[in-house]
């Protein structure tokens, strides 16, 4: 799906997500879908996605999900992230995050990462804080 230019503006201040090549596939209010290719440097000795790569994708996806609630975008900090690793994958891993509840500055999100074929890799639930604009 096409990601509009404002999405680029929305995401460009995340150097950490650029290094592993995490891409924004779609954003709507309360939902974000991101993906990353599992390159060799993100693999275990068995040649599958390392838990740290899975966790990074989920953290960035869920925090981006929280960001979708604010226009203009606000800085989001992860307070807590709990992840269950259910499987692993190779190729492209896709994640979807959803806002469950949002207060003034605290946002509760959930999501999962899946393989290209749709198999569940991990589930996550997180709490995020929206920082007031400078």
């Amino acid at each position: 799906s096409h990601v509009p230019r404002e999405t680029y503006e929305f995401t460009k201040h995340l150097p950490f997500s650029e290094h592993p090549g995490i891409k924004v596939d779609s954003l709507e209010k309360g939902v974000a879908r991101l993906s990353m290719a599992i390159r060799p440097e993100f693999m275990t000795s068995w040649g599958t996605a390392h838990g740290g790569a899975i966790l990074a994708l989920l953290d960035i996806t869920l925090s981006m999900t929280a960001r979708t609630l604010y226009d203009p975008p606000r800085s989001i900090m992860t307070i807590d992230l709990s992840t269950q690793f259910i499987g692993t994958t190779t190729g492209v891993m896709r994640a979807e995050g959803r806002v469950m509840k949002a207060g003034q500055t605290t946002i509760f999100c959930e999501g999962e990462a899946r393989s290209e074929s749709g198999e569940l890799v991990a589930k996550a639930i997180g709490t995020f804080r929206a920082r007031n604009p400078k």
Side-chain angles (χ1 to χ4, degrees):
S1 61
H2 175 69
V3 177
R5 174 155 174 73
E6 55 270 20
T7 299
Y8 172 75
E9 294 297 319
F10 193 77
T11 60
K12 70 177 181 180
H13 300 297
L14 284 172
F16 180 82
S17 66
E18 290 168 15
H19 176 69
I22 294 174
K23 293 181 170 56
V24 176
D25 297 326
S26 69
L27 298 173
E28 53 199 78
K29 190 163 186 167
V31 181
R33 292 180 190 90
L34 282 70
S35 60
M36 73 180 285
I38 304 302
R39 302 196 306 248
E41 61 267 34
F42 307 128
M43 291 180 181
T44 65
S45 56
W46 301 297
T48 57
H50 187 279
I54 298 167
L55 194 61
L57 177 62
L58 283 165
D59 181 49
I60 291 168
T61 300
L62 269 58
S63 59
M64 190 65 69
T65 301
R67 282 190 96 191
T68 66
L69 299 181
Y70 302 97
D71 186 17
R74 293 170 73 182
S75 178
I76 301 292
M77 291 174 15
T78 304
I79 296 172
D80 177 72
L81 186 68
S82 177
T83 305
Q84 290 179 307
F85 299 96
I86 296 155
T88 189
T89 190
T90 57
V92 175
M93 182 169 50
R94 302 188 183 285
E96 179 180 287
R98 297 168 299 277
V99 171
M100 296 187 298
K101 186 175 172 64
Q104 289 289 338
T105 57
T106 305
I107 308 102
F108 299 92
C109 299
E110 65 174 2
E112 57 280 320
R114 294 184 179 274
S115 69
E116 285 181 272
S117 62
E119 289 180 61
L120 190 59
V121 173
K123 290 183 71 69
I125 186 166
T127 311
F128 300 87
R129 175 174 294 127
R131 299 182 61 186
N132 289 318
K134 291 186 180 78

